[in-house]
Amino acid sequence: MDPAQAWGDLFARWPASIARKGVLVTNFGEQILFSGFMASPTMLLVERQTPDTVGARKVLVPYASISGIKLVEIVKSAAFKELGFEGKIATG
């Protein structure tokens, strides 16, 4: 699967049990702290809780420009199973 398609699928199926906030990491080196998002078939719209240095609160990012997502809330493993993840994360 193409990475852009994988990101689009993940955001389209985002479970209600995972808060829609975190850090979006782009392939152009930016880390965008977001407090909400909307997904379209081709790109993601993220909303910042506070504006960036130029005053922007919303950022449109094509799925092909996403490198990763960092989650800032505690999320139970069961929520990731809804996204198709398998196995168990070892703790301790």
Side-chain angles (χ1 to χ4, degrees):
M1 177 183 283
D2 155 22
Q5 184 180 358
W7 285 117
D9 184 52
L10 179 127
F11 286 107
R13 299 180 331 146
W14 194 273
S17 58
I18 300 177
R20 289 179 165 243
K21 61 192 216 175
V23 181
L24 176 71
V25 182
T26 68
N27 61 12
F28 46 91
E30 188 171 4
Q31 294 192 37
I32 303 168
L33 183 63
F34 66 93
S35 58
F37 69 82
M38 294 173 68
S40 82
T42 57
M43 64 180 55
L44 187 68
L45 168 65
V46 294
E47 182 165 17
R48 298 175 190 265
Q49 190 167 7
T50 58
D52 66 7
T53 56
V54 296
R57 286 191 180 266
K58 292 183 174 54
V59 183
L60 293 162
V61 181
Y63 293 127
S65 294
I66 298 174
S67 292
I69 295 291
K70 297 178 181 181
L71 300 175
V72 296
E73 300 289 323
I74 295 173
V75 180
K76 296 187 180 195
S77 296
F80 293 103
K81 291 183 179 187
E82 293 179 53
L83 292 171
F85 288 89
E86 298 178 5
K88 184 177 179 181
I89 297 176
T91 57

